[in-house]
Amino acid sequence: MPKLIEMMKPWQWMLYIFFWALFVTSIDRHDLATWPQFFVKFLSRIVQYTLSIIPSLYLIDYLRPIFKRDNPINVSMKILLLFAITSAVSATLVMLVKINTGWLVYERKAFVLDVLFNIVITVGFTLVFMLYFIRRYRELIALKQSFEHKLTAQNDLIKARIAPHFFFNTVNSLVSLIESNPPKAADLLQHVSALFRATFDGAREISFEEEVALCEHYLAIESSRLGDKLVVNWNLPDDDVMYDMVITALTLQSVLEKMLLNVVEMTTETIFIDITIEWHQHRVTITVTVQLPSKTLMIVHDLRRHVNFYIQAERLRAYFDQSADIQSDVTNEQIVTVINYPLYDVSI
């Protein structure tokens, strides 16, 4: 349930109140003989509806934690009752002011009927608004479920691509280390546990520190098998900057996984990977530069086909913005992959 007061800007709420007051005054003009009487009643209704609607919206927003635990029917009845009470109170206060200033002659029957009329009109408008809100809410729920199903399917595809070769290579490394170096095998098993736990947590947004930790777990696992063939240099922002950064889980790890699969494992030469992270003007830019081997033949066309990050880019767009993207530039000397997405600093 979103905050109602934030659904429209203050001037939009006042515009809504203005036209609502104009409409009600127009249909209730049977006892108005002159234009000054019309304007007095019109202005009094603006004041009345402002006193009725704005406090009610703030009160509903304040009670949101309680309403979340209740069923929709009960919540709807409570909201209608709240608007009916505030309408009766505001109508009574406005009419008492008009009576004391001489703008209205007190008649008990007319006074009660006017209060009841305002209650009925307010409840009617509230009911129409709630029906529209419920329809929009159901559409948003359906859209959210579709979005979650899409992300789940994308995450399953990523897991399916990571699991086969990585799992068997890791098992083989563990088997050899258990006999030759049990402490190193235990460390490797901890890295494997941390990485696979994150892999099967599903598509989600995590802190950048967590993503870097997952990448380090992954690189530690692969380094136990690749040895000196892999050298990774990290260029990270300050800890204070990293603390506020977020990213979709396994985005950077997936990029590194493809680089190791398509470059490092295809050569006996040492491959240098440089990872630079920058956060500037509300955008995060992650540059992964992989130096291609000089003696081993690497077919650039095949590399361009294999280093495609469409699924990872879609996950980024789903969480951040349609401007998020992942692009790779492949030359004869290197592969430069740039992860770019908007991220606003909450402290600014």
Side-chain angles (χ1 to χ4, degrees):
M1 180 180 177
K3 289 188 175 182
L4 297 179
I5 200 66
E6 295 179 358
M7 291 183 66
M8 293 192 295
K9 295 179 180 179
W11 68 268
Q12 291 175 315
W13 281 114
M14 293 308 299
L15 191 64
Y16 171 78
I17 291 172
F18 176 87
F19 283 107
W20 183 7
L22 182 61
F23 172 76
V24 175
T25 306
S26 298
I27 64 174
D28 188 33
R29 65 182 187 279
H30 56 86
D31 58 341
L32 304 177
T34 63
W35 279 106
Q37 291 179 339
F38 179 88
F39 283 117
V40 167
K41 196 163 190 176
F42 172 58
L43 291 175
S44 66
R45 289 200 185 278
I46 290 179
V47 174
Q48 174 189 327
Y49 295 147
T50 302
L51 294 176
S52 174
I53 293 174
I54 303 302
S56 297
L57 294 177
Y58 276 108
L59 185 58
I60 291 171
D61 289 342
Y62 178 77
L63 296 174
R64 283 172 70 245
I66 299 175
F67 288 159
K68 285 181 179 179
R69 296 191 294 267
D70 208 343
N71 65 71
I73 296 178
N74 287 341
V75 172
S76 301
M77 295 302 297
K78 290 175 182 177
I79 291 176
L80 286 175
L81 179 61
L82 175 63
F83 272 100
I85 293 172
T86 55
S87 176
V89 172
S90 62
T92 301
L93 290 175
V94 169
M95 284 193 292
L96 288 176
V97 170
K98 290 169 66 177
I99 290 171
N100 289 330
T101 56
W103 291 351
L104 181 68
V105 178
Y106 175 73
E107 293 181 8
R108 182 176 180 181
K109 182 178 179 181
F111 187 94
V112 174
L113 288 176
D114 203 354
V115 171
L116 291 177
F117 174 78
N118 280 280
I119 292 175
V120 171
I121 290 294
T122 301
V123 170
F125 269 88
T126 304
L127 188 59
V128 171
F129 181 81
M130 287 179 60
L131 291 174
Y132 171 77
F133 172 78
I134 291 172
R135 178 183 174 185
R136 291 289 298 161
Y137 178 74
R138 288 176 177 174
E139 290 175 355
L140 289 173
I141 290 295
L143 185 62
K144 180 182 178 182
Q145 290 175 345
S146 175
F147 164 75
E148 290 176 347
H149 290 157
K150 182 179 179 180
L151 286 182
T152 301
Q154 291 174 347
N155 194 64
D156 290 342
L157 184 55
I158 289 176
K159 289 188 290 187
R161 289 181 175 180
I162 291 176
H165 81 280
F166 180 70
F167 177 76
F168 290 113
N169 288 339
T170 304
V171 168
N172 290 333
S173 298
L174 283 170
V175 169
S176 62
L177 287 173
I178 286 173
E179 295 182 358
S180 61
N181 194 340
K184 189 174 181 180
D187 291 339
L188 180 61
L189 197 57
Q190 288 182 348
H191 290 303
V192 173
S193 175
L195 183 61
F196 271 87
R197 186 185 305 114
T199 303
F200 289 96
D201 273 347
R204 60 195 177 99
E205 181 183 293
I206 63 173
S207 70
F208 208 90
E209 291 175 330
E210 290 181 86
E211 179 70 2
V212 171
L214 292 176
C215 292
E216 289 177 340
H217 286 305
Y218 173 74
L219 293 172
I221 296 167
E222 292 290 54
S223 294
S224 67
R225 181 172 58 88
L226 299 171
D228 296 335
K229 285 175 57 179
L230 178 62
V231 177
V232 179
N233 297 316
W234 291 89
N235 298 305
L236 300 174
D238 295 336
D239 291 341
D240 292 339
V241 177
M242 286 272 289
Y243 181 80
D244 292 327
M245 296 174 65
V246 293
I247 192 173
T248 49
L250 302 174
T251 298
L252 180 55
Q253 188 274 341
S254 297
V255 172
L256 295 177
E257 187 262 346
K258 280 198 175 185
M259 297 305 169
L260 267 63
L261 177 64
N262 293 285
V263 178
V264 181
E265 293 189 1
M266 298 300 175
T267 181
T268 57
E269 300 177 46
T270 300
I271 300 299
F272 292 88
I273 300 179
D274 295 311
I275 305 169
T276 302
I277 293 97
E278 297 177 325
W279 189 12
H280 182 60
Q281 293 183 347
H282 303 306
R283 292 197 74 87
V284 173
T285 303
I286 308 167
T287 305
V288 181
T289 304
V290 181
Q291 300 299 328
L292 297 179
S294 58
K295 299 178 182 179
T296 305
L297 176 63
M298 306 293 292
I299 302 175
V300 173
H301 175 73
D302 289 342
L303 284 177
R304 287 197 181 101
R305 182 165 54 89
H306 289 301
V307 291
N308 184 297
F309 302 104
Y310 174 78
I311 295 175
Q312 290 84 349
E314 282 293 306
R315 293 168 77 235
L316 271 179
R317 294 187 191 105
Y319 275 93
F320 296 99
D321 189 272
Q322 288 300 310
S323 64
D325 200 9
I326 305 178
Q327 293 291 335
S328 284
D329 181 27
V330 183
T331 66
N332 291 326
E333 293 79 25
Q334 63 183 12
I335 302 174
V336 180
T337 302
V338 179
I339 305 170
N340 187 282
Y341 60 95
L343 183 63
Y344 291 92
D345 191 345
V346 295
S347 64
I348 295 179

